[in-house]
Amino acid sequence: MIDLEKRRELGKAPKLITEELLWYINHHYNDAEILAITSELRTSLQKRVNSYIDECFNVVNEGTEEEDEELDEGEYDSMVTKLQTGAKEILVKELEWGISEDGWNPDLLNELRIEY
């Protein structure tokens, strides 16, 4: 577990661009470590996507006996779409994946088995 002092130190470190981070991981970690990192990142992303739902509830019939929370599906879908679009942009522009060139347009969350 990383202590508070180490977290502060890491918080001050410059952010690596995606390509640099991937190169670093691929050249400094063995396969088991990469699998463990990937699993932890997948779990972390699932928690973040789950939090989108919490952000998209609106109170309806406020102040009445029928007051309830309702999921704004349009807002939620917009957040998920923005997430996927941003990730694909990074894959194409920074990592030079041919997603748009060859017509492959994956549902990245589905491929990672992230429920949404």
Side-chain angles (χ1 to χ4, degrees):
M1 178 75 52
I2 299 175
D3 64 16
L4 184 58
E5 185 177 329
K6 185 65 175 179
R7 287 180 190 203
R8 286 183 181 140
E9 181 183 322
L10 290 172
K12 295 176 184 175
K15 179 181 174 182
L16 298 174
I17 63 171
T18 307
E19 186 177 18
E20 293 170 337
L21 179 61
L22 289 175
W23 184 93
Y24 184 85
I25 290 170
N26 282 319
H27 289 87
H28 288 86
Y29 295 91
N30 65 37
D31 293 346
E33 290 169 324
I34 291 172
L35 180 59
I37 291 166
T38 303
S39 177
E40 183 61 29
L41 288 173
R42 188 217 160 277
T43 300
S44 178
L45 182 58
Q46 180 67 66
K47 289 177 183 177
R48 289 179 183 211
V49 170
N50 290 349
S51 76
Y52 286 6
I53 291 175
D54 295 335
E55 293 177 39
C56 294
F57 275 103
N58 295 322
V59 176
V60 292
N61 300 322
E62 191 169 359
T64 69
E65 290 182 15
E66 294 84 28
E67 183 176 297
D68 198 7
E69 288 188 339
E70 188 176 275
L71 178 64
D72 184 338
E73 291 183 30
E75 183 179 351
Y76 176 72
D77 290 343
S78 174
M79 290 175 78
V80 170
T81 299
K82 183 177 178 182
L83 173 65
Q84 296 241 39
T85 302
K88 289 175 185 179
E89 188 173 308
I90 292 167
L91 289 171
V92 171
K93 292 183 177 177
E94 292 184 30
L95 301 177
E96 300 177 355
W97 279 31
I99 290 177
S100 58
E101 288 84 356
D102 64 11
W104 179 58
N105 190 20
D107 179 332
L108 298 173
L109 293 174
N110 190 34
E111 289 205 4
L112 292 171
R113 292 183 170 69
I114 303 289
E115 295 177 18
Y116 66 100

